[in-house]
Amino acid sequence: MFELDFSVIVIPANSSLLWEGIKMTFLLAGLAIVGGLILGTFLALLRIAKIPILSQISAAYVNFFRSLPLILVIFWFFFLVPLIVGRPVGAFTSVLVAFILFEAAYYSEIIRAGINSVRLGQLAAARAIGLTYIQSMRYVVLPQAFRAMTPILLTQAIILFQDTALVYVVGLRDFLVSAEIIANRDQRLVEMFLFVALVYFVLCFTASMGVKYYQKRINNEL
Amino acid sequence: MNYEKSNMMIKVKSVNKWYGKIQVLNDCSLNVSKGEVIVVCGPSGSGKSSLIKTINGLEPVNSGEIIVSGISVTDKSTNLDQMRSKIGMVFQNFELFPHMNVTENIKLGQTKVLRRTNEEAEQKAQALLERVDLTEHAHKYPSQLSGGQQQRVAIARGLAMEPMAMLFDEPTSALDPEMINEVLDVMVKLAKEGMTMMVVTHEMGFARKVADRVVFMDYGKIIEDAPSQDFFGSPRSDRAQEFLSKVLNH
């Protein structure tokens, strides 16, 4: 049997590499969540708009991305985006684009359900005081919709946070890749992968406990 | 009936509306002059709510014309958003915005549509809350108020836009009996101040007290349109008589 030696983590060179990695993971997840939410909201609004062609385009987009494995989309954009823009864009940009486009499909379905959960009378009341359709959405319908769907959106965000580990396939130095570099170099595979698992678990478990608590609170208020 | 042109507030001309194959409005015509209070009644499903919602364009019509204060609601080139801001509407289920407190509910249209400053809107909201006797609830959320209080806030929200007419779509039918009067009192006050009002309601006491005319609808048709004393004295149609006997004798 081998002996576990976790001190490999705290060697300054290693810990700073891991720190850079976790920062990359958070940056990627954060930007992908924000971008995915914006695009997802837009897609959801197109989907519920009473203009057939727009809602069909949105529906097709959502169905398309929800039918593909995320890892394939990551691959795709890694090779495709440089071809489209005609120059290398770097792993980070291509991966970010892939995540935003992919996650938007999931977010838009959550947001659409949230919007549909707001009573139709609310839109009528907003229109009745003279607000435009866009103002009614902005000030009346969406705030209520987001409130109702926040727990589901946060859960999806946690899933996305875990999914960012897939950037492994294009060699972007996120938390997992940084840990793997150390694991191989210092021959501490068991320690490093245990450590990575622990960090992911603690972060995601804490976050999902937070979501549960939040959901309880809104349920009590509604 | 002859109305002077300047006195005409709402003119509904031969309006037809279908939901799929069901005709909900059948050749409806109606005039409301400035300052008039019209009560629209009839059995449920008779089209009265649809009729009132077509007047501010919340429900489109299939044919016919609706003119409010000289502006056509049915003309596609009309800016309906602007039009609606001049017509207050009160709904059966209040439809206050649950994520905003009472004052914010009354301020939203003022700041976003009328472009009043925050201070102006706040002042107006306070004055209106005083008028509907809810000053102490200014910072509560709708869910903290009773149905009657919520409906009075909804009336204040409509009045904040300084509308030229107010539409009421069964304003008391979702209320517990003991709260109906506090809402009707506000409406009576409003009528006496000269507001042009069109009210869909079964509250015949209210109709008798303040309505200038009563319109009775059935199967999407306007069956009777009569001054209220005539309507309550001797409704001309059998359907209206039958309806009245049901709503008056309980």
Side-chain angles (χ1 to χ4, degrees):
Chain A
M1 275 308 283
F2 48 79
E3 272 178 35
L4 293 179
D5 178 9
F6 285 100
S7 65
V8 63
I9 297 160
V10 295
I11 297 168
N14 289 355
S15 60
S16 72
L17 186 63
L18 286 171
W19 180 239
E20 289 307 312
I22 196 108
K23 278 202 302 202
M24 171 59 80
T25 294
F26 269 102
L27 180 70
L28 183 62
L31 289 177
I33 288 165
V34 172
L37 271 179
I38 293 169
L39 182 60
T41 307
F42 181 69
L43 285 168
L45 288 176
L46 287 189
R47 185 78 183 265
I48 58 165
K50 288 196 182 91
I51 306 162
I53 180 78
L54 293 183
S55 66
Q56 280 161 9
I57 290 172
S58 169
Y61 178 99
V62 170
N63 289 332
F64 179 70
F65 275 103
R66 294 219 307 179
S67 309
L68 294 176
L70 173 56
I71 196 157
L72 183 71
V73 179
I74 292 170
F75 256 140
W76 243 38
F77 278 89
F78 186 62
F79 296 113
L80 205 70
V81 174
L83 281 181
I84 294 170
V85 285
R87 62 185 169 81
V89 293
F92 183 76
T93 310
S94 77
V95 159
L96 182 60
V97 170
F99 269 107
I100 289 175
L101 294 180
F102 186 83
E103 288 299 322
Y106 286 83
Y107 281 131
S108 91
E109 284 298 279
I110 299 172
I111 292 163
R112 186 164 72 104
I115 292 171
N116 286 339
S117 77
V118 178
R119 283 217 314 258
L120 266 174
Q122 286 285 303
L123 181 61
R127 298 306 302 272
I129 57 172
L131 295 176
T132 63
Y133 180 77
I134 291 174
Q135 283 178 322
S136 305
M137 281 290 163
R138 160 85 179 74
Y139 297 111
V140 175
V141 177
L142 285 179
Q144 294 180 58
F146 273 111
R147 208 177 133 100
M149 65 201 167
T150 302
I152 313 166
L153 285 176
L154 288 174
T155 303
Q156 183 66 27
I158 295 170
I159 295 170
L160 177 112
F161 180 77
Q162 296 164 354
D163 283 349
T164 56
L166 289 174
V167 300
Y168 181 87
V169 296
V170 296
L172 187 68
R173 255 192 216 186
D174 76 331
F175 186 49
L176 178 61
V177 170
S178 305
E180 200 218 10
I181 292 169
I182 299 166
N184 283 325
R185 193 182 55 202
D186 296 0
Q187 288 304 304
R188 290 291 173 197
L189 276 106
V190 178
E191 289 88 338
M192 287 318 294
F193 288 131
L194 269 176
F195 174 66
V196 169
L198 183 72
V199 170
Y200 270 109
F201 177 80
V202 168
L203 288 174
C204 294
F205 185 72
T206 315
S208 65
M209 284 294 112
V211 173
K212 261 198 193 133
Y213 173 76
Y214 177 77
Q215 183 154 32
K216 235 186 204 159
R217 249 189 47 195
I218 353 186
N219 286 349
N220 288 341
E221 278 175 34
L222 290 178
Chain B
M1 269 175 271
N2 284 317
Y3 293 94
E4 287 190 36
K5 215 176 178 185
S6 59
N7 236 359
M8 181 71 72
M9 186 59 81
I10 300 168
K11 189 177 178 67
V12 178
K13 224 166 102 186
S14 313
V15 161
N16 287 288
K17 180 177 174 60
W18 281 269
Y19 283 127
K21 280 184 182 160
I22 302 161
Q23 185 162 18
V24 286
L25 293 178
N26 187 346
D27 196 28
C28 292
S29 295
L30 178 75
N31 293 320
V32 184
S33 13
K34 207 173 159 196
E36 250 189 329
V37 177
I38 308 288
V39 161
V40 182
C41 63
S44 59
S46 60
K48 43 197 202 307
S49 282
S50 297
L51 178 69
I52 205 168
K53 281 177 185 155
T54 59
I55 288 168
N56 65 354
L58 277 183
E59 294 272 4
V61 300
N62 294 97
S63 69
E65 199 181 17
I66 296 166
I67 295 167
V68 178
S69 185
I71 302 165
S72 171
V73 178
T74 39
D75 185 345
K76 286 202 164 59
S77 65
T78 303
N79 182 343
L80 274 182
D81 298 322
Q82 214 171 54
M83 179 85 244
R84 287 193 190 103
S85 71
K86 295 175 192 157
I87 309 169
M89 180 140 196
V90 173
F91 298 84
Q92 183 176 3
N93 295 312
F94 331 130
E95 300 299 350
L96 291 179
F97 308 133
H99 57 302
M100 299 179 185
N101 71 27
V102 166
T103 309
E104 287 163 348
N105 262 279
I106 302 174
K107 278 163 63 180
L108 184 68
Q110 297 187 67
T111 52
K112 303 300 173 199
V113 180
L114 302 181
R115 305 258 163 228
R116 287 188 184 141
T117 64
N118 194 44
E119 290 74 43
E120 286 170 333
E122 180 87 35
Q123 267 177 10
K124 182 89 192 168
Q126 276 175 13
L128 283 166
L129 284 174
E130 207 166 302
R131 202 161 145 196
V132 297
D133 205 14
L134 288 171
T135 309
E136 67 273 31
H137 301 290
H139 297 290
K140 287 192 183 163
Y141 282 82
S143 60
Q144 297 170 293
L145 301 180
S146 73
Q149 290 169 332
Q150 289 189 55
Q151 196 59 300
R152 284 185 282 151
V153 174
I155 294 172
R157 179 175 68 181
L159 291 175
M161 309 300 284
E162 281 160 19
M164 46 194 190
M166 287 284 285
L167 308 173
F168 294 82
D169 185 12
E170 303 208 27
T172 57
S173 52
L175 294 176
D176 291 333
E178 72 268 25
M179 291 169 188
I180 290 175
N181 279 332
E182 61 187 73
V183 172
L184 290 180
D185 285 347
V186 171
M187 290 168 62
V188 169
K189 220 162 81 185
L190 207 55
K192 294 203 166 137
E193 286 165 11
M195 175 64 77
T196 308
M197 290 163 65
M198 202 165 149
V199 187
V200 172
T201 185
H202 290 162
E203 294 296 330
M204 290 302 131
F206 172 81
R208 231 192 263 254
K209 205 166 172 185
V210 294
D212 296 298
R213 283 187 3 249
V214 177
V215 169
F216 176 77
M217 289 183 74
D218 200 11
Y219 296 109
K221 266 194 153 139
I222 294 180
I223 308 276
E224 286 214 44
D225 179 349
S228 59
Q229 58 268 43
D230 294 0
F231 182 80
F232 289 111
S234 56
R236 278 162 284 180
S237 66
D238 293 347
R239 278 298 285 138
Q241 270 176 23
E242 191 192 328
F243 174 78
L244 270 184
S245 72
K246 275 182 193 151
V247 293
L248 290 177
N249 298 335
H250 67 73

